[in-house]
Structure formats: structure tokens, C-alpha cells
Amino acid sequence: MQLPARVDYPVIAIGDLHGRVEWLDKLVAKLRTRTEWPTAKLVFLGDLVDRHPTVKDLVARVIELITEKPGSTCVMGNHDLALVKATGLDGPPSESWVRRYATNYDHNWTFRSYLGRTADYMPPGKWEQELAELKAAMPEEHRAFLANLPWVAEAEGHIFLHNGLSPELDCPAPVQLACAHNKIWDRAVVNPRFGTDTDRMFNPEYPVWLGADKRLSERPLPLPGKVQVSGHIKLDAPDANRVRIRIDTSGGVREPLTACVLTGPGAEPVFVFSNE
């Protein structure tokens, strides 16, 4: 499935899912009653995996919804990136992500969903074997879908990404957007500003736009003419201003799951909740 990186209005953005297929079904049932639904494009903001044992069902449902509504898309979240890189869905497994996925992510829920059990870590080398078994257990459609998620999607007046653009890079916001579209995260191109946290902690395999710098969710670098719509940081309620709209009110651990309905480039966001 080739996902578009540009979408037309009306757009319905949906926050971080983390395997919660039952919440997604409740939210979609509400969205289907809205007048925008027949022509709307869906944009899922990433983090489909981890934190709940119905990850497999959730990924299948997202694929179904995108298929039902051509022109819809899903951007990559940091949990999705961790799974892709640790298991080698898009090439050889990344040594740094193999370690990071073991220690920093709620991966056992993804193992339970696809393998029916949690992972083992000992003796040495067992974790790498477990990751290979997880990859083999995933349907080919799921592997290809997750491996090829775009980093960003764009509409006339909005961009959709998991985290946000960065003020600690020497390249301006339009250049960062172009790099995200082309999946370019290279110090020689994006050039972190000397002495910043991004410079000191630069990870060539973890773009800040996908989650490495959590500050960007609340205070991204403004992009002229576009509002950034993101998830990543769990909030008590949706949070919007002229620069960004944040809608991760779930984090996979509590309702509501939130959708943001946008009818045009200058439209006020309308929020729809799974539990109201």
C-alpha cells in the first residue's frame, strides 16, 4: 500500500492508538455520523503499536479504514519506528534500536498480540532471536505497511506529523518539511545548532520530528502558512493555537481517543471524542 504524503480537505486526524482497536471503533462510529465523513480523508498520527494486546487487530483496522477512504494516510510515530528498526522491517536490524526497543518501549504488548507471549531476553542473543520471531509472525501486509509509513503528511494549511519541527536545526521550517517528506535525517543536511541538546544528543537513526525531542510537541518551530497537527505527548484535553494542534489525549492508557476535524486550511479545529 502506497500511502499519500498529501491530503485534501476535509481531513480527520486521529491521535495515538497504541493497539486500542476498541476505542478506534467507538470513535469511528461517531465520525461516521458527521456530514464530513463521506468525503473526508483520515490521517492517523502514528504510534499504532505497543501498550495493548490488540496491536495486530488495530493495525488491520487502520489498513481497512485507509482502504475504505482512498487518499487517507498514516504517519510514523516513534513506537512504530522502534519496531521497524529493531525487527528490521525495512532492512537489517539497527543495533541501537535493538537495544532501545528492549529498554524504552512497552514492546511486550506487541509480542503478545502477534506471538501470543511475551519476549525472553536471556541468554545473550535471545532478544535478537525474539525480534526475528516477532517479524516472522507479522502478516506481510502489516510489515510492509509499517515499514513504509511516511514521516509527514501535508494539506494546504496543515501538516501532520507525530511530534513537531525543530528550532534547534540550522535549516528553516520549509526545508525541514522537505527533509521529512524525503525521510532525510542527516547531520550534514539538517545541521543541529552548535551546543543545543539536539547537537549534543544527535541520533542519526531517530529524527526529532518523530519524537526524539519531546519539547517539540508543545513548542515546535513555526511553519509559515501551516498549522502542525501532532500527537506523541499525552494530554488531558486537546490543545490548539496558531502554530500547532495537539490531540493525544489517550496515549493508549485511557480514554478518550481524540479526532480533529478540519474542513479547510483556515478552519477552526473540531474535536470528536471516543467516549462522549
Side-chain angles (χ1 to χ4, degrees), residues 84-88 91-100 131 205:
V84 167
K85 294 298 185 182
T87 56
S94 158
E95 183 178 341
S96 66
W97 276 110
V98 165
R99 295 193 305 270
R100 189 176 182 88
L131 289 170
E205 296 188 79

Side-chain angles (χ1 to χ4, degrees), residues 37-49:
W37 178 263
T39 58
K41 306 300 185 290
L42 305 179
V43 179
F44 296 94
L45 294 177
D47 276 5
L48 306 185
V49 303

Side-chain angles (χ1 to χ4, degrees), residues 225-236:
K226 306 269 189 179
V227 177
Q228 298 171 54
V229 185
S230 65
H232 191 42
I233 301 298
K234 183 163 64 68
L235 308 168
D236 291 331

Side-chain angles (χ1 to χ4, degrees), residues 85-109:
K85 294 298 185 182
T87 56
L89 295 185
D90 65 348
S94 158
E95 183 178 341
S96 66
W97 276 110
V98 165
R99 295 193 305 270
R100 189 176 182 88
Y101 195 48
T103 57
N104 290 46
Y105 289 85
D106 309 311
H107 57 265
N108 263 321
W109 300 105

